[in-house]
Amino acid sequence: MKGLKLARSSRRGSKAADIRTLSKVQRAEILGRAARLIAEVNAGSAQCFEGVAILERSANLLAIKANPVAVALAAQGPIGSRALGDAVDGVIPVFDGGTVMRSADLTRWAGAGHLVLHAPQAGLLFDPTLNQVSAGTGFPTGALIMPVTAADLVSDLQFEISGGCLALYRPVPSDRTWTTAYNAEYARRGADAMAVTRRALELEGFDENLV
């Protein structure tokens, strides 16, 4: 994801004093829009570090507390299955003739294999790069946004998605091997986060200059 390139409006409005002029619900909806924009730009690449880093920085711009969460992901779709992370070995029910594709690169992980973003106060989980499993499974290509509380993150999260798709997220809090690489991505994604947040504001009908 070599820099987000998003169409910008020529509209300019007066800059509001603070993004908090919007309600918590409105800001959460804007963050969801940002997640969907990231999924669109990501286009199925295995770049969860980049996508989650941009989305976390977008959450900061929207005054939403959010944290990256390391998970292992088991995905079962109508055309195949995909496993991201050793912690989900053996949990995918492969249909007759199906195969499980494993992540090509687990060198940065110790049990997990994927990153998502959790906003505890909004009670939402965001996966802006779930589409990396779409090609081999038949999963939809958009972002996953689901209601998830902090208490939910102590055990497996199972979601049924349209089109006969099943996703199991297994949090792996003991895996911290990803943090150095993630922090490096976070540090250099400020401009991308600003671009995606302003575009999300515009698409949701708000002044893009709120941030």
Side-chain angles (χ1 to χ4, degrees):
M1 194 181 300
K2 297 180 180 179
L4 288 170
K5 295 182 179 179
L6 301 171
R8 292 292 305 279
S9 167
S10 61
R11 174 174 53 83
R12 290 291 180 269
S14 59
K15 186 173 179 64
D18 197 318
I19 190 69
R20 293 179 190 274
T21 56
L22 303 182
S23 71
K24 290 181 179 180
V25 171
Q26 288 172 325
R27 285 181 276 131
E29 290 173 347
I30 294 162
L31 188 61
R33 175 72 75 166
R36 292 190 290 274
L37 286 169
I38 292 169
E40 182 179 347
V41 173
N42 187 60
S45 299
Q47 295 183 317
C48 62
F49 284 31
E50 295 91 332
V52 172
I54 293 168
L55 193 61
E56 185 185 359
R57 293 196 69 142
S58 180
N60 290 343
L61 290 169
L62 295 167
I64 296 174
K65 179 177 174 56
N67 308 294
V69 179
V71 298
L73 170 64
Q76 172 85 54
I79 64 172
S81 305
R82 184 80 183 270
L84 302 178
D86 293 335
V88 289
D89 274 350
V91 305
I92 299 178
V94 181
F95 52 83
D96 289 345
T99 60
V100 177
M101 297 185 302
R102 297 194 57 78
S103 174
D105 179 15
L106 290 176
T107 59
R108 295 186 290 185
W109 303 100
H114 188 53
L115 281 185
V116 295
L117 190 75
H118 185 238
Q121 294 175 335
L124 292 171
L125 182 81
F126 301 87
D127 187 347
T129 64
L130 178 61
N131 57 12
Q132 68 183 273
V133 306
S134 297
T137 63
F139 262 59
T141 57
L144 178 131
I145 304 167
M146 289 291 184
V148 172
T149 68
D152 294 331
L153 285 174
V154 302
S155 59
D156 290 352
L157 303 169
Q158 300 184 59
F159 304 114
E160 184 172 353
I161 302 168
S162 62
C165 299
L166 300 171
L168 182 146
Y169 291 84
R170 177 166 290 172
V172 189
S174 61
D175 188 346
R176 303 298 298 172
T177 56
W178 53 274
T179 55
T180 298
Y182 177 79
N183 289 341
E185 283 297 331
Y186 182 90
R188 68 189 188 91
R189 291 295 176 172
D192 290 335
M194 181 65 76
V196 77
T197 306
R198 285 182 167 170
R199 180 61 173 154
L201 278 161
E202 181 186 14
L203 290 173
E204 289 296 314
F206 297 107
D207 184 354
E208 66 189 77
N209 291 305
L210 281 169
V211 296

